[in-house]
Amino acid sequence: MAKDKKELRSQAWFGPADRDGFVHRSWMRNQGLPSHLFDGRPVIGICNTWSELTPCNAHFRKVAEHVKRGVYEMGGFPLEFPAMSLGETLMRPTTMLFRNLASMDVEESIRANPLDGVVLLTGCDKTTPSLVMGAASCDLPTIVVSGGPMLNGKYRGEDIGSGTNVWSFSEDVRAGKMSLAAFMDAEACMSRSVGHCMTMGTASTMASMVEALGIGLPTNAAIPAADSRRYVLAHMAGQRIVEMVKEDLKLSKVLTRQAFENAVRVNGAIGGSTNAVVHLLAIAGRIGVDLSLVDWDTLGKEIPCLVNLMPSGKYLMEDFYYAGGLPMVMQELGDLLHRDHVTVTGKTVAENIEGVECFDRDVIFPFDKPFKSEGGIAVLRGNLAPDGAILKPSAATPELMQHRARAVVFEDIDDYKARVDDPDLDVEPNDILVLKNCGPRGYPGFPEVGNMALPEKILKQGVTDMVRISDARMSGTAYGTVVLHTSPEAAAGGPLALVRNGDMIELDVAGRRLNLEVSDEELAERRKGWTPVKPPLERGYYQLYYDHVLQADKGADLDFLVGKSGAPVPRESH
Ligand code: FES
C-alpha cells in the first residue's frame, strides 16, 4: 500500500509554512535546491563512507552521483551525508574497535535528520556492518550499495589476491623463498584499480551477505568497482529506494529470521569470512532477530563450499562475477534457501534469481559436485571455550582438524611479536600456538591477529600450517587451521587466560570440541593469580567500549545498542 506523501517523516521538517519550516528549507536552498524538492517527495539519505583514508571506498563520490540520478528519476530528493569511515589498512589499533562507534554515528545521523529512506554506500570490511547496524536501529526503508571489488591483482603473469598473497608472500620472504625487492614490487600490482579487496575476504563476504540477506540488489556482491555496471547498480538502487519509501518497505520487513538463515547458508557456500559471524550476530541483535552462534553451525553444517575463490581456492571476485556471481550460488542452493523471502527489489529470492546461468564451472561448482565438501563455520565448545569458538574448515588443513598437542603460549600480541622468531623458542611443528588478550576487550577491539604467522624456524622446515587458538578474529583473506573468537575471551576471565606452556589441548572439529586437559581444581588455583587487562586509554570512547562491549558470541556490540529503537521524529531544535 502506497503511503500518502503527507505522512512522510521528512515533512515534519520541510512541510510547515511557518518559522521552523522556513529555517529548514531556507538554509538548504543555499545549495541551489529549487522549492519543489520540498513538496513532500521522499527524501533519500545517501550515507557515504567516502574517505581518502579508506582507499577501498575512495571512488564513492562517483557511486553517490549515480544513486542520485536514480533517486531524481523516480521523483525523490537525494541528500548525501558522511559517516565515519573505517579504513581497514590504516586505522589503529583495529577498525573493529570503531565499528560500534560508526554505527552510532549512522543511527543518530539518520534519526536526527529529515530522511524517509536511506541508501548505504559500503565497501571496506567494517563499513558494511557498521552502516547496516546503524540503519537497523532506525528501521527506515534502506538499501545497501556495495562499492565493488578491485580488479584481479596481476603480478609476473599470475593473478594475486588482496591480503591472501600478502600473507603468503611475507611468509615466503621469511622462509627465504622470495626476495625483498620482489615483495616490494608486488605492492602496486596487487591493488591496481578502485574497489575493495578482491578475494573472498571480509569485504566481499559482507557484500555477499548484503545480497543474500536481500538488502541489496541482485549482483551487488561481485560487480568489480571499475566495471560500468557497478554504476548502473547504484543508479537502480537510487530508483528502487524511492519506491521502497512509497511501499513502506522497512528494513525490518526484509531483515527477518528467514533472511539471516539464507545468509548463513550462503556464507557456507561461498567459503565466506569468519568475520561474517560476528557481524551478522550484531545486525540480528539490532533488528531484533533471534540468531545465535549455534545457528551458524546447525544451518551451515551441510553446506558445501561451491566457489573456488581465494583464500579457500584460486580465483578472485572479478572471475566470480563473470561466472555468474552470487545469484548463481543462490540458484545452486535451491530449496536450502527461503526462496519466498521478499527482498528490497520487492520480489522474492526465487524471482530475483530466476534464469541465472553459470559461465565457468571451475569458479562456481554445482551443489552435487562441490569445490569443497565442508563450507560452513564449525562452532567448537569445551572447557577452553564454554561460550564457543569458531573455525573455518574450508580454509583449514584437513589433517590438523583432529589434533592433540602441547600449547605454546603467548600472553598477548606484544609477547608474540617479541618471541615468535626467537631461535630459542621452544616450539615444534606439531604444537598448538595459543594467543591471549586479543578479544573484544583485550586488545582492545578484537583485531585480526588470530592467523598469527608461524615461527620462522618452523617455516624454514617447510611447514605451512599449525593449529592456532586465540580470542582474536582473522582477516577474511587469511587461511589456516585457526580457532578464533574463543569466548569468553582471556581479558574477560575466560579459561583461555589460564592456559600455560606445555598444557595439552585437544581440537576435534568433527566432534565440535575444544578441550584444555587441565583439571577444574588446577584451573581454579590458576585463576587466583589472574588479573584483567585495562584499556590503554581510560577515557572517552575507549572506556565506553571497554565497559559495554559484549563477547564475540553475542556479536561484540555494545550492550546498550542491542534492540531496534526506530526513528521517531525528535523534538524541534530551536
Ligand atoms: Fe578494505 Fe580489504 S582493506 S576491503
Side-chain angles (χ1 to χ4, degrees):
M1 173 75 79
K3 246 189 158 183
D4 187 308
K5 65 184 182 183
K6 287 198 190 87
E7 288 178 55
L8 290 180
R9 188 173 179 274
S10 59
Q11 281 297 290
W13 283 261
F14 295 143
D18 60 11
R19 184 199 63 173
D20 293 338
F22 179 103
V23 170
H24 298 312
R25 291 182 299 270
S26 174
W27 268 260
M28 289 296 284
R29 294 188 68 176
N30 78 348
Q31 300 176 86
L33 300 170
S35 59
H36 67 261
L37 290 178
F38 303 94
D39 65 359
R41 64 190 63 208
V43 179
I44 306 300
I46 302 171
C47 181
N48 199 341
T49 48
W50 169 86
S51 169
E52 289 178 342
L53 292 167
T54 307
C56 306
N57 299 14
H59 60 302
F60 277 19
R61 284 170 159 174
K62 187 173 171 190
V63 178
E65 285 308 312
H66 285 267
V67 174
K68 286 179 190 174
R69 291 183 192 182
V71 172
Y72 277 127
E73 203 168 72
M74 295 301 286
F77 176 14
L79 290 169
E80 186 182 345
F81 66 98
M84 182 181 188
S85 190
L86 306 176
E88 201 63 30
T89 50
L90 299 183
M91 289 188 90
R92 296 183 181 190
T94 167
T95 49
M96 186 63 179
L97 174 63
F98 306 110
R99 182 199 66 176
N100 301 337
L101 178 62
S103 80
M104 291 168 74
D105 172 7
V106 172
E107 173 180 348
E108 303 306 342
S109 294
I110 292 173
R111 188 178 295 117
N113 279 299
L115 303 177
D116 303 308
V118 191
V119 177
L120 308 175
L121 303 190
T122 72
C124 198
D125 292 13
K126 306 304 177 299
T127 59
T128 302
S130 59
L131 266 58
V132 176
M133 287 162 69
S137 296
C138 292
D139 198 22
L140 293 180
T142 302
I143 191 164
V144 183
V145 175
S146 301
M150 287 186 268
L151 298 173
N152 290 4
K154 297 280 180 186
Y155 178 65
R156 299 189 177 180
E158 286 188 16
D159 282 356
I160 59 170
S162 316
T164 304
N165 281 107
V166 180
W167 317 132
S168 66
F169 287 167
S170 66
E171 299 216 333
D172 284 351
V173 172
R174 293 171 71 230
K177 293 193 261 177
M178 185 181 198
S179 73
L180 192 57
F183 181 67
M184 304 299 275
D185 198 28
E187 257 180 37
C189 306
M190 194 181 71
S191 310
R192 64 190 187 89
S193 82
V194 292
H196 59 67
C197 291
M198 82 310 256
T199 42
M200 186 50 86
T202 304
S204 298
T205 298
M206 290 311 295
S208 300
M209 293 297 90
V210 161
E211 192 172 332
L213 287 163
I215 57 176
L217 297 181
T219 71
N220 174 74
I223 306 173
D227 191 310
S228 56
R229 288 166 287 188
R230 177 59 60 184
Y231 297 100
V232 174
L233 182 111
H235 186 125
M236 302 313 286
Q239 281 196 342
R240 182 61 199 143
I241 188 66
V242 178
E243 293 174 337
M244 284 173 65
V245 170
K246 292 175 181 170
E247 294 163 8
D248 198 26
L249 187 54
K250 294 177 181 174
L251 203 45
S252 58
K253 293 181 183 173
V254 181
L255 277 182
T256 60
R257 167 86 192 177
Q258 283 192 334
F260 285 96
E261 290 186 1
N262 281 354
V264 169
R265 288 191 159 129
V266 167
N267 189 66
I270 61 175
S273 164
T274 49
N275 287 321
V277 177
V278 75
H279 295 324
L280 260 62
L281 289 172
I283 294 167
R286 290 290 183 99
I287 203 78
V289 166
D290 185 18
L291 184 76
S292 72
L293 199 53
V294 174
D295 290 320
W296 277 90
D297 210 332
T298 50
L299 292 167
K301 207 166 192 170
E302 308 300 321
I303 306 293
C305 178
L306 303 181
V307 302
N308 183 6
L309 297 184
M310 290 186 202
S312 300
K314 71 172 181 182
Y315 292 103
L316 294 164
M317 289 301 285
E318 190 181 341
D319 309 306
F320 184 42
Y321 178 55
Y322 303 148
L326 203 74
M328 190 59 222
V329 171
M330 293 177 77
Q331 177 86 288
E332 285 293 341
L333 287 174
D335 290 337
L336 284 169
L337 298 183
H338 298 287
R339 295 168 66 84
D340 58 348
H341 174 245
V342 175
T343 71
V344 289
T345 60
K347 297 179 184 160
T348 63
V349 168
E351 289 168 328
N352 285 345
I353 62 179
E354 192 181 356
V356 299
E357 289 180 60
C358 184
F359 301 105
D360 191 340
R361 280 299 184 188
D362 199 37
V363 178
I364 303 173
F365 283 57
F367 186 84
D368 53 8
K369 216 175 152 205
F371 174 56
K372 291 189 179 183
S373 57
E374 228 183 325
I377 300 286
V379 178
L380 312 164
R381 283 183 198 276
N383 70 342
L384 188 49
D387 293 336
I390 64 170
L391 177 140
K392 181 176 168 181
S394 65
T397 302
E399 298 74 40
L400 288 175
M401 291 211 273
Q402 315 294 317
H403 195 70
R404 182 175 175 275
R406 63 170 191 157
V408 175
V409 178
F410 300 98
E411 290 301 320
D412 56 31
I413 194 68
D414 299 320
D415 181 33
Y416 164 79
K417 286 182 177 169
R419 294 194 297 121
V420 67
D421 288 339
D422 185 339
D424 294 331
L425 181 69
D426 180 13
V427 63
E428 301 292 335
N430 200 42
D431 289 338
I432 294 177
L433 304 180
V434 174
L435 175 62
K436 305 177 184 177
N437 290 309
C438 293
R441 293 176 92 189
Y443 201 70
F446 207 5
E448 293 181 334
V449 296
N451 57 311
M452 55 195 121
L454 306 189
E456 198 168 281
K457 68 192 232 185
I458 299 290
L459 285 172
K460 286 189 168 154
Q461 295 173 43
V463 175
T464 55
D465 195 9
M466 291 173 75
V467 173
R468 289 156 270 179
I469 299 173
S470 73
D471 45 13
R473 293 180 305 116
M474 165 172 92
S475 164
T477 62
Y479 48 84
T481 311
V482 185
V483 176
L484 304 155
H485 306 192
T486 302
S487 300
E489 64 177 307
L496 187 70
L498 310 176
V499 183
R500 290 185 182 166
N501 276 322
D503 288 348
M504 294 302 289
I505 294 176
E506 187 202 13
L507 168 68
D508 172 10
V509 178
R512 299 300 197 248
R513 281 201 312 274
L514 184 64
N515 276 328
L516 176 65
E517 296 179 2
V518 176
S519 69
D520 291 347
E521 295 73 29
E522 170 64 15
L523 290 177
E525 197 55 37
R526 291 183 189 181
R527 185 171 293 286
K528 289 177 188 166
W530 174 78
T531 49
V533 294
K534 288 187 168 179
L537 284 177
E538 293 184 76
R539 67 174 304 278
Y541 177 71
Y542 270 71
Q543 189 68 54
L544 183 77
Y545 174 90
Y546 184 85
D547 291 342
H548 291 280
V549 70
L550 296 168
Q551 288 295 288
D553 63 303
K554 299 282 187 293
D557 202 357
L558 302 183
D559 53 12
F560 57 82
L561 293 173
V562 176
K564 171 166 67 75
S565 49
V569 175
R571 63 163 58 112
E572 188 54 88
S573 62
H574 42 266

